[in-house]
Amino acid sequence: MRSSTILLGFAVLTIGASTAVSRIMHMGMQQGYSPAQPIAFSHELHAGKNRIDCLYCHYGARKSRHAGIPSSSICMNCHSMLEKQTVAIERFKEAVQLQRPLVSWVKVHNLPDFVYFNHSRHVMSGVACQRCHGRVEEMEQIEQVMPLTMGWCLECHREHAGVPTSGLERAAKRFTSVPVPASGLDCASCHY
Amino acid sequence: MSENREHGGKADSCKGAAAAGDRLVKIGRREPAGAGEGDATRRDFLSLLGFSVAAASMPACRAPEQRAIPLPVASEDMVAGIANYYATTCGGCASACSLLVKQRDGRPIKIDGNAASALFGGATCATGQAAVLSLYDGERLRGPAWQGKPTTWKEIDDRVQQALTAARAGTGAVVLLSSTITSPSLRAVIDRWSQSVPRFRHVTYDPVSASALRAATAQASGRAAVPHYAFDRARVIVGLEADFLGTWLSPVEFARQYARGRTAAGAARSLHVQFEAGVSVTGSNADRRVLVPPSELGAVAAALLARVAEQAHVAGVPRVADPIDVDTLDDVAAQLWAHRGESLVVSGHNDIAVQLAVHALNHLLGNLGHTVDLARPSLQRQGDDAAVAELVDQMERGEVHTLILHGVNPVYDHADGGAFARGLKKVALSVSTGDRIDETGAAVNAICPDHHFLESWGDAEPVEGTLSLSQPTIAPLFETRSAAESLLRWLGDDTDHYAYLRSFWREHMFPRQQATLDFDTFWDKSLEQGIVELGAGAGDPAPSPAPAPDPGGDWRAAIRQIGDQQRAARAARHPDRYELALFESVALRDGRHANNPWLQELPDPMTRITWGNVAAIAPSLADQLGVDTGDVVVIASGAGRLQLPVFVQPGQQARTISVALGHGRTRVGKAGDRVGANAFPLARLVRGARSYSAAEVTMTATGRHEKLAASQSHLSMEGRELVLETTLADLARDEAEAREPLPDLWTERPQGAHSWGMAIDLDACTGCSACVIACQAENNVPVVGKDQVQRQRIMHWIRIDRYYGGPDDNPRSLHQPMMCQHCGHAPCETVCPVLATTTSSEGLNQQVYNRCIGTRYCANNCPYKVRRFNWYNYTENSKFDFNMTDPVGRMVLNPDVVVRSRGVMEKCSLCVQRIQNAKNDVVTTGKPLADGAIVTACQQACPTQAIVFGDLADPNSWVSQLQNDRRSYELLGYLNTKPRTQYLARVRNPNPELG
C-alpha cells in the first residue's frame, strides 16, 4: 500500500516534470498565432484569387533584411483604378493624401531580438515564401504556421549543408569523420 | 516602416508571469542600499524556480504583441533595413572634415570619413565619431528661449529686429562673436551684416587659438592665415609643442600625411623630433622626444634658427643661450639643413615671437611652397585673441549695444569668463545660437538654438580651394533653426537656408569651375560627392614665387625678445615654483562636447584616465614632493587656482605640470557637469595672444586622495614581450627566423570558404583613439560611468594599451590597439560550460549572448583580457543615466547589433554584422566578395590605416600580405592560442646622426 503510493507519487512527479520541461521548451513559441488585424485584409483574395506576387507588395524581401509591410501608396497603385470602394480603401486614400501613417498592423511572425534573419538572403537564394510562412495565399487571416524555432531553422540549414538532420546520426558521424564546415550553421550567422 | 513593441495588452493574460515580476521587485528591495539590482539569495532562487515551473505549466504565455507601422507613402530611397549614406561636413570642430554619414530608417547612426576627400580621406577622429551622439543629446534645447523661458521664433525675431532698429539709431556697436567660420556662405551672410548694419563688427574667437601663428604669418607674408602643412612631403619633422597627431589644427589630415612618411620603406622614412613638456600623442610617436619646459621652447626655435641661418649664410642673427644640450641642437639643425625643402618645423605655441622664428626657420630651409603652403592656406583657425580682449573691454565700458554669439561659450572658456558675464549685463541685447542654456547661455537674453550639423544645410572651406557641402541627414529633432537662417531673418530676408545656400553656390561657386555647364547638374553632383575642388590640384602646395632671400617679418627682433624672455624666466626661477602647460585633450578637446558620455569615457591616450582631468607631473617631482597618483593638489598661478588629482606621468618634464583643458563644465548637462576642473581661466593673454602656459606656478598638496577612473593600471609591459620593436637598421639586415610550430593537443578544425583575420601595424598606430569611439558607435557599447570604470568594468571592445619603456624621465611610449584576437585555439572556449563561445567555420570567435549564462570563466581564462561582462542592465537601470536610458539617446543605437542585457559576456566580433551584410550582398547582387569590401568600424575610422581586416584564405589579400610581413607576430604566441589578429612590430628610427 505504502510502496504503491510512493510509486504513484513518483509517476505523477515524473509526468508533471516532463510536462513542465516541455512547456518551458515551448515558452515564447507562437505557432498558430493568428491575431485579428485592425483592417481585415485578406491574403486569400489578393495573393490567392487575384494572384498578386508576394514581392510586389513586400518588395523589401528582395533587397533588405525586412520584407516590409507595404505603404498605403502601394495599395493605391491598384485601388486608385478599381471601382469598388470600401470604407477601408477610402481611409487608405486619405492616408496617402495626408501622408500620415494609417494602420498599426499586428506583427505575426516575430523573432527574438537576438536573431538576425535576412529576407533577401533567403529569397534571392530561391527559398519560397511559403516554406516559412505557410500557404499564405489560402489564408483569410494570417497565421504563423511554422514554429520559427532555432531547431526548425537549422533543419533546413543542415539539409542545405549536407549534414544529417538527426542528432543521433550527427553524433555517430562525429567519430568517423571531420564535420563539414558550413557558414550557415555558425552561431554568428544569425546571432550578433 | 517602424517597429514598436507594446508591452501590456495581451501580456495581461500571463498573470503568473506578472506575479513573478512583482516578486522579483520585492527581492530587489530587500537588498542593502546601494547594491542596485538585487542578486537574490539561494532560498529566493529556489522559491522562484518552483514558481516558474508552475507558471510554465499554465497555458502557454504569449510574447508581447508587436506592431508594425509602414510609411504612408513608399519611397525608393527609404527601404526598411537598408542604410543610406549621405556626404556632409563635420561640425565637431573647425577642421571641417568631409564625412559620409550612415542613415538607417531615417536616423543617422554612424559617422565615417568621405573617402573621396583628398585632404581627409575616409578617416575621422574620436570627436567626429562621437558627434553623432551629440545630435541625440536629450538635453538640447527644444526651441528658442527668451530670458531662460521657452518662447516662439516669432517673438525672438521681433525682439532682435527691434533691438537692431534701436542699435541703428544709437551709438552702440553690433558685434557677432563666433568661433572659426569655415563656411563661405555664412561668411557672405556676415558680409551682408557689415554692409547693412552700422557699427557692425565680426570677431572670431577660438578657445584654443592659433592667433599667434596667424599674426606671425601676417607679419612675415602679409596675410593673416594659418599655413597649410604637408607632413607627407617632409623627411624631417620638428614639432615644438604642436600635437598635430592629436588635436592641433587638422589632426585627421596630418595623421594621414604623417603615416605616409612613417611607413615609407627604408631610408625614405621620415624622422620626427618633438620638443615638448608634457607627453602628447604626437610626442609619443616621435623618433626622438626632447623635454623642454614651455619657458625655453622659444629658445629652442631661436637656437635652431641661429644654426640654420649660419648654414644659409644669413648674417646678423642674435644668439640666445642654448636651452638644451648643444649636441642635440646641432644634430637637429644639421638634419633639417640636410633635408632643406623636405623638412618641416611646426609649433603650437601661441606666442608671436616663437611663431616668427618658426616661420623664418621654414623660410631659410626652403620649405615654403613645399611643405608649407601659404598660397592656399588653411582656414581652420581664424580666431584673433587681441580682438576678443578688446571686445571684452568694450563690453565692460558699455559700448556694445547688441551681441550675437555663435558657436562660442566665452563665460566658460575665456580667460576671464567672469568679466565676460559682467560685460554681457551691459549689452542691451545678447543673443546666443547655442544648443542649450550653457554657462554663456545663462547670461544672455535670448537663445536661438542652431541645428546640429547633421540636421543642417551648409558648406565649408577648410583649406582654400577645397570645399565641402553639408546636407541634413535627419529632419530637425527639435524646434531649432539654422544660424544662417536666423542671421538672414534678422536682416529682413526670409529665405530659408537651403534656398540661400543654393543661390549662393549658383552665384559664387558655379562660375569658378568649367567642368559642368549646367548648375543643377553641378549642384547635384557636388551634393552627392560632398567635395568640390575649386583650386588646381588641391592637396599639393601651390607653386609660390621664388622666396625672398630674407624671411619676412622682424624675426631678428623676435629672437631678441625670446632671449629677453628666457633671461627673465631664468632669473625668476625658484625651487618651489613650477611651470604650467595647458593642452587640449584628445577626447574632450576644448570642452564643447563635454556632455557626450562616449567622449567622457574615452581614456586619454597617454594617462589612460577617463572622466576628468589630472595634473601630470614628473616621477622625480612626485618623489621630491612626496605625492603620488591620486593625491589632490592645488595649483595656483597669478590667474587663478585649480584643484586636481596628481598623475605621475613618465616622460613629463621635471618642472612642468600639464593639465588638460575642456573639463570642469558647470552647465552642459548630466554627463559633463562638474567632471574635472576648468583650466581655461589660467590661459591669459600675453603679448597679444593667449598663452596656454604659465611660469611661477605653485603646487600644494591638500592631503586628500581621489580615486582616478583609470582604464589601465600598468605603465610598463612588466618584462613581457607585448609590443615588439625593431630598428630601421635591423629591419634592413636581419632575415626572419622560421617559427618552430609548438606542440598542441587540438584537433584540426575544418575551414570554411573564408578565414577572417586582422593585421595591426604598431608602426602606423598613433594612439589617437578614433577606433575606440567608432567601435562604440557601431557595436552599441554602453557607457558605464566613473564608478564602474574605477572597478575595471569599462565596456570598450577595443582599447589602446599604452606602455612605457626605458628610463622614467623620458621613456619610449608604445600604443597597442587590443581587442579579441579571435584565437584559433581559444582559451575562452574550453572553459565555457554552455558553449556560448565557439569558433565559427570562418575562424571568428563567436559570442552567443542568448546562450551565455554569465559564469565569466571565459574572461578569467582570456590571456588578452578583452572580454567584457554586463554587470548591469545598462539600458534600463537609472543608475546609468547616459544615452542608452534616454529615448532620444537611444536613437543612436545600431539596429544591426543586439543591445546586450545584464549577465552576459561580450567582446569584439570583428564587426560580424558587416561581414554578414557583405555576404548577403554577394547573394543578392551576384558579385563576388572583393578584398577590402568588408571593413571593420575601427579600420574605417583609422587615419593611418594601422588596422587591416580581410580574408586570410586569400593569399593575395592585403591582410594576408601583412601577416606574411617579417614584422608580423602573434601576441603571446608562446601560449599557442593561434590568434587570427597579428601585430606588426613597431619600427624605431634611432638616427645615428642624431646623437
Side-chain angles (χ1 to χ4, degrees):
Chain A
M1 162 80 177
R2 180 168 284 186
S3 65
S4 66
T5 314
I6 292 174
L7 214 69
L8 188 73
F10 200 75
V12 168
L13 259 178
T14 315
I15 294 167
S18 68
T19 319
V21 167
S22 139
R23 292 284 187 193
I24 291 172
M25 295 308 280
H26 286 82
M27 250 170 96
M29 260 178 71
Q30 302 212 49
Q31 202 168 6
Y33 182 43
S34 177
Q37 298 290 354
I39 286 178
F41 175 84
S42 166
H43 276 85
E44 190 187 11
L45 176 68
H46 289 81
K49 207 169 148 213
N50 292 329
R51 295 179 172 219
I52 301 170
D53 186 30
C54 306
L55 296 176
Y56 178 76
C57 302
H58 301 284
Y59 58 91
R62 224 190 298 253
K63 47 186 172 182
S64 167
R65 199 174 102 194
H66 304 294
I69 294 184
S71 302
S72 307
S73 64
I74 302 282
C75 308
M76 295 322 291
N77 284 354
C78 297
H79 280 284
S80 61
M81 285 177 279
L82 295 178
E83 269 183 33
K84 190 179 169 187
Q85 298 292 334
T86 63
V87 179
I89 294 166
E90 286 297 327
R91 281 175 64 198
F92 275 115
K93 234 183 220 172
E94 199 187 313
V96 174
Q97 273 162 7
L98 299 174
Q99 300 225 354
R100 221 171 30 209
L102 169 71
V103 192
S104 155
W105 300 94
V106 183
K107 273 189 81 196
V108 180
H109 299 88
N110 297 309
L111 291 179
D113 282 352
F114 50 75
V115 183
Y116 285 94
F117 172 81
N118 190 304
H119 270 96
S120 65
R121 182 87 175 255
H122 293 83
V123 168
M124 298 307 279
S125 306
V127 179
C129 306
Q130 286 84 346
R131 182 108 188 229
C132 307
H133 292 285
R135 303 188 67 83
V136 171
E137 66 277 15
E138 292 171 7
M139 293 180 199
E140 179 63 34
Q141 182 170 306
I142 289 290
E143 180 191 330
Q144 179 182 327
V145 178
M146 297 297 173
L148 302 193
T149 56
M150 188 171 94
W152 171 79
C153 292
L154 280 176
E155 250 172 51
C156 195
H157 279 226
R158 286 195 178 112
E159 220 169 85
H160 187 67
V163 175
T165 43
S166 126
L168 273 176
E169 251 181 87
R170 275 201 308 283
K173 214 174 168 190
R174 190 169 288 175
F175 290 103
T176 55
S177 61
V178 181
V180 187
S183 67
L185 296 176
D186 287 336
C187 307
S189 294
C190 313
H191 301 296
Y192 42 84
Chain B
M1 189 184 75
S2 69
E3 288 185 13
N4 126 32
R5 293 199 168 191
E6 288 177 6
H7 296 274
K10 283 229 170 149
D12 286 352
S13 64
C14 301
K15 296 225 169 71
D22 287 346
R23 191 160 169 73
L24 268 173
V25 172
K26 268 189 209 144
I27 291 163
R29 278 190 196 138
R30 241 194 278 152
E31 286 300 304
E37 291 170 297
D39 33 336
T41 62
R42 186 169 151 269
R43 183 179 292 187
D44 289 329
F45 173 71
L46 286 175
S47 69
L48 252 185
L49 182 75
F51 197 84
S52 49
V53 169
S57 50
M58 292 198 311
C61 295
R62 287 277 177 223
E65 187 177 276
Q66 294 185 34
R67 294 282 184 155
I69 306 164
L71 285 173
V73 179
S75 158
E76 265 181 68
D77 301 330
M78 208 162 132
V79 179
I82 292 189
N84 287 327
Y85 293 84
Y86 293 99
T88 188
T89 309
C90 190
C93 75
S95 302
C97 299
S98 300
L99 301 181
L100 205 58
V101 177
K102 179 183 181 183
Q103 188 222 51
R104 261 293 294 271
D105 306 333
R107 295 175 291 127
I109 56 166
K110 180 78 173 59
I111 284 177
D112 276 304
N114 184 348
S117 163
L119 295 177
F120 310 104
T124 39
C125 67
T127 311
Q129 284 290 339
V132 68
L133 185 60
S134 300
L135 166 69
Y136 300 118
D137 184 344
E139 289 172 275
R140 283 170 61 201
L141 270 180
R142 275 6 188 206
W146 174 258
Q147 307 289 20
K149 303 229 164 36
T151 181
T152 58
W153 280 107
K154 171 92 179 54
E155 190 194 335
I156 292 270
D157 290 344
D158 288 348
R159 284 182 189 273
V160 174
Q161 275 165 340
Q162 277 164 24
L164 283 177
T165 315
R168 280 199 175 91
T171 56
V174 178
V175 180
L176 171 69
L177 180 67
S178 78
S179 54
T180 291
I181 292 175
T182 54
S183 161
S185 65
L186 187 54
R187 281 201 301 266
V189 175
I190 296 167
D191 286 345
R192 277 208 220 171
W193 275 69
S194 319
Q195 285 152 21
S196 58
V197 180
R199 295 175 305 283
F200 173 79
R201 195 161 95 247
H202 175 210
V203 179
T204 307
Y205 166 59
D206 292 323
V208 180
S209 90
S211 176
L213 176 54
R214 284 170 57 84
T217 315
Q219 281 187 34
S221 73
R223 183 172 172 192
V226 170
H228 186 217
Y229 299 108
F231 287 86
D232 50 344
R233 291 168 167 252
R235 297 271 307 278
V236 177
I237 298 164
V238 174
L240 302 155
E241 284 284 5
D243 187 9
F244 56 84
L245 298 177
T247 55
W248 190 60
L249 299 182
S250 187
V252 171
E253 180 194 355
F254 294 160
R256 283 185 79 227
Q257 297 175 344
Y258 182 79
R260 250 177 262 151
R262 215 20 157 32
T263 46
R269 189 185 160 92
S270 64
L271 176 76
H272 172 200
V273 184
Q274 183 85 354
F275 296 88
E276 62 182 13
V279 190
S280 69
V281 171
T282 309
S284 74
N285 284 286
D287 294 298
R288 179 88 189 267
R289 190 170 161 268
V290 186
L291 298 177
V292 180
S295 63
E296 299 278 351
L297 196 80
V300 173
L304 289 176
L305 178 56
R307 283 164 173 78
V308 167
E310 197 176 309
Q311 296 275 2
H313 305 294
V314 174
V317 184
R319 274 270 178 182
V320 295
D322 287 335
I324 50 170
D325 68 290
V326 181
D327 289 346
T328 305
L329 286 170
D330 286 346
D331 291 341
V332 174
Q335 284 288 335
L336 282 172
W337 184 250
H339 293 96
R340 350 182 240 292
E342 293 182 311
S343 57
L344 177 58
V345 186
V346 290
S347 176
H349 205 56
N350 205 25
D351 184 304
I352 298 170
V354 176
Q355 293 293 354
L356 270 172
V358 168
H359 179 88
L361 259 172
N362 280 322
H363 182 108
L364 292 179
L365 289 166
N367 294 336
L368 304 187
H370 295 279
T371 56
V372 181
D373 187 359
L374 287 168
R376 271 201 301 271
S378 149
L379 305 173
Q380 291 152 318
R381 288 290 182 289
Q382 299 168 18
D384 184 343
D385 296 347
V388 177
E390 195 192 314
L391 172 67
V392 177
D393 290 345
Q394 212 183 351
M395 279 162 62
E396 288 212 89
R397 290 196 302 269
E399 291 168 13
V400 178
H401 181 275
T402 304
L403 179 67
I404 300 169
L405 300 140
H406 172 57
V408 292
N409 185 9
V411 174
Y412 161 72
D413 52 30
H414 188 259
D416 199 347
F420 198 92
R422 282 195 301 281
L424 273 175
K425 291 208 179 81
K426 297 184 185 166
V427 173
L429 176 76
S430 50
V431 186
S432 160
T433 62
D435 67 348
R436 66 194 68 227
I437 304 182
D438 57 13
E439 292 83 348
T440 307
V444 298
N445 304 123
I447 303 191
C448 305
D450 190 5
H451 292 323
H452 185 268
F453 74 85
L454 290 172
E455 302 168 326
S456 184
W457 288 100
D459 54 1
E461 192 175 13
V463 172
E464 217 169 77
T466 302
L467 286 107
S468 185
L469 275 166
S470 301
Q471 57 182 323
T473 54
I474 189 171
L477 290 172
F478 309 122
E479 287 286 311
T480 53
R481 189 170 74 185
S482 90
E485 208 170 303
S486 293
L487 288 173
L488 283 170
R489 190 72 52 97
W490 297 332
L491 282 185
D493 184 342
D494 284 348
T495 323
D496 69 64
H497 195 175
Y498 172 67
Y500 167 71
L501 183 71
R502 211 179 130 97
S503 70
F504 175 82
W505 272 64
R506 185 196 293 273
E507 239 172 86
H508 296 95
M509 300 304 169
F510 178 56
R512 282 171 63 185
Q513 55 89 47
Q514 276 89 41
T516 317
L517 296 171
D518 160 47
F519 175 72
D520 289 339
T521 316
F522 167 70
W523 175 255
D524 290 346
K525 203 176 109 203
S526 306
L527 209 53
E528 187 191 339
Q529 297 187 337
I531 298 144
V532 186
E533 303 285 6
L534 290 175
D540 298 328
S544 47
D550 197 80
D554 199 352
W555 56 279
R556 287 186 181 83
I559 293 182
R560 272 191 294 277
Q561 194 193 328
I562 289 170
D564 292 345
Q565 285 162 32
Q566 186 195 30
R567 272 187 296 280
R570 286 187 172 187
R573 206 160 283 173
H574 184 277
D576 291 338
R577 298 279 189 277
Y578 310 100
E579 292 193 36
L580 179 68
L582 304 174
F583 65 98
E584 259 188 302
S585 73
V586 163
L588 283 189
R589 306 291 272 274
D590 60 9
R592 73 179 80 174
H593 298 288
N595 203 37
N596 190 318
W598 287 353
L599 291 175
Q600 288 282 4
E601 201 159 293
L602 176 66
D604 181 85
M606 301 319 301
T607 65
R608 306 285 284 127
I609 287 166
T610 63
W611 295 99
N613 53 349
V614 289
I617 61 170
S620 59
L621 184 59
D623 283 346
Q624 190 192 323
L625 297 174
V627 292
D628 205 350
T629 294
D631 289 342
V632 179
V633 292
V634 172
I635 297 163
S637 79
R641 296 153 59 84
L642 274 178
Q643 193 163 316
L644 278 170
V646 157
F647 179 77
V648 180
Q649 168 75 61
Q652 179 78 17
Q653 203 275 331
R655 306 291 299 168
T656 309
I657 309 159
S658 286
V659 176
L661 297 162
H663 292 73
R665 299 264 324 244
T666 52
R667 296 192 63 124
V668 69
K670 59 191 179 188
D673 280 349
R674 290 170 298 280
V675 177
N678 179 12
F680 273 115
L682 274 61
R684 290 283 164 161
L685 195 74
V686 177
R687 291 179 295 274
R690 208 166 163 193
S691 170
Y692 299 95
S693 57
E696 298 181 53
V697 171
T698 62
M699 183 166 68
T700 38
T702 59
R704 279 198 310 115
H705 186 85
E706 197 177 291
K707 196 174 177 198
L708 298 173
S711 61
Q712 183 184 2
S713 45
H714 287 263
L715 293 172
S716 84
M717 292 187 273
E718 312 290 353
R720 290 170 303 166
E721 290 188 327
L722 303 177
V723 181
L724 297 191
E725 292 175 275
T726 180
T727 60
L728 210 51
D730 283 347
L731 204 59
R733 198 169 46 234
D734 288 352
E735 273 308 309
E737 300 167 28
R739 291 175 201 152
E740 284 277 321
L742 293 163
D744 78 70
L745 298 169
W746 290 64
T747 49
E748 197 54 42
R749 274 190 221 237
Q751 182 60 59
H754 303 286
S755 173
W756 306 117
M758 189 174 259
I760 299 175
D761 189 348
L762 297 175
D763 200 30
C765 176
T766 64
C768 77
S769 303
C771 52
V772 181
I773 302 290
C775 173
Q776 185 153 29
E778 172 73 17
N779 293 303
N780 300 336
V781 174
V783 174
V784 296
K786 187 170 187 176
D787 173 64
Q788 295 292 307
V789 177
Q790 285 171 347
R791 292 164 201 261
Q792 316 292 315
R793 291 177 182 172
I794 198 164
M795 294 299 282
H796 291 156
W797 286 7
I798 178 171
R799 60 174 199 260
I800 304 181
D801 286 337
R802 171 273 298 123
Y803 300 106
Y804 295 108
D808 252 7
D809 56 344
N810 193 5
R812 293 166 291 125
S813 322
L814 303 156
H815 302 281
Q816 185 170 41
M818 180 58 62
M819 66 290 255
C820 177
Q821 304 286 301
H822 293 269
C823 305
H825 295 172
C828 52
E829 279 176 33
T830 50
V831 294
C832 180
V834 293
L835 292 178
T837 182
T838 53
T839 298
S840 84
S841 64
E842 297 178 349
L844 296 176
N845 181 279
Q846 357 174 55
Q847 177 67 30
V848 189
Y849 310 122
N850 42 315
R851 273 196 96 103
C852 178
I853 57 167
T855 63
R856 294 183 279 127
Y857 296 165
C858 55
N860 282 335
N861 214 32
C862 171
Y864 306 103
K865 293 287 160 261
V866 291
R867 293 183 152 258
R868 301 281 181 253
F869 185 65
N870 285 274
W871 289 90
Y872 293 91
N873 199 347
Y874 300 108
T875 50
E876 271 158 35
N877 190 327
S878 57
K879 261 176 73 181
F880 303 96
D881 193 12
F882 307 111
N883 67 301
M884 274 197 185
T885 53
D886 176 48
V888 181
R890 268 188 210 150
M891 288 170 78
V892 81
L893 292 176
N894 183 359
D896 286 336
V897 178
V898 168
V899 175
R900 283 77 61 185
S901 60
R902 185 170 71 138
V904 301
M905 193 58 77
E906 62 183 68
K907 52 137 203 114
C908 160
S909 66
L910 278 182
C911 285
V912 61
Q913 66 279 8
R914 294 186 176 206
I915 300 175
Q916 285 299 331
N917 207 21
K919 282 163 70 180
N920 289 338
D921 287 348
V922 170
V923 173
T924 50
T925 62
K927 286 184 198 139
L929 199 57
D931 184 34
I934 308 174
V935 286
T936 58
C938 49
Q939 174 183 6
Q940 197 169 19
C942 183
T944 61
Q945 297 187 320
I947 303 175
V948 175
F949 170 86
D951 191 354
L952 296 171
D954 170 9
N956 298 318
S957 67
W958 190 10
V959 68
S960 294
Q961 287 174 15
L962 286 173
Q963 289 209 351
N964 287 328
D965 191 282
R966 283 176 44 210
R967 287 193 289 132
S968 187
Y969 69 98
E970 294 173 346
L971 188 67
L972 305 180
Y974 57 86
L975 295 175
N976 207 19
T977 50
K978 304 231 160 126
R980 284 174 167 272
T981 300
Q982 291 197 10
Y983 291 87
L984 275 76
R986 173 88 186 252
V987 181
R988 292 273 158 197
N989 185 10
N991 197 300
E993 288 137 53
L994 258 186

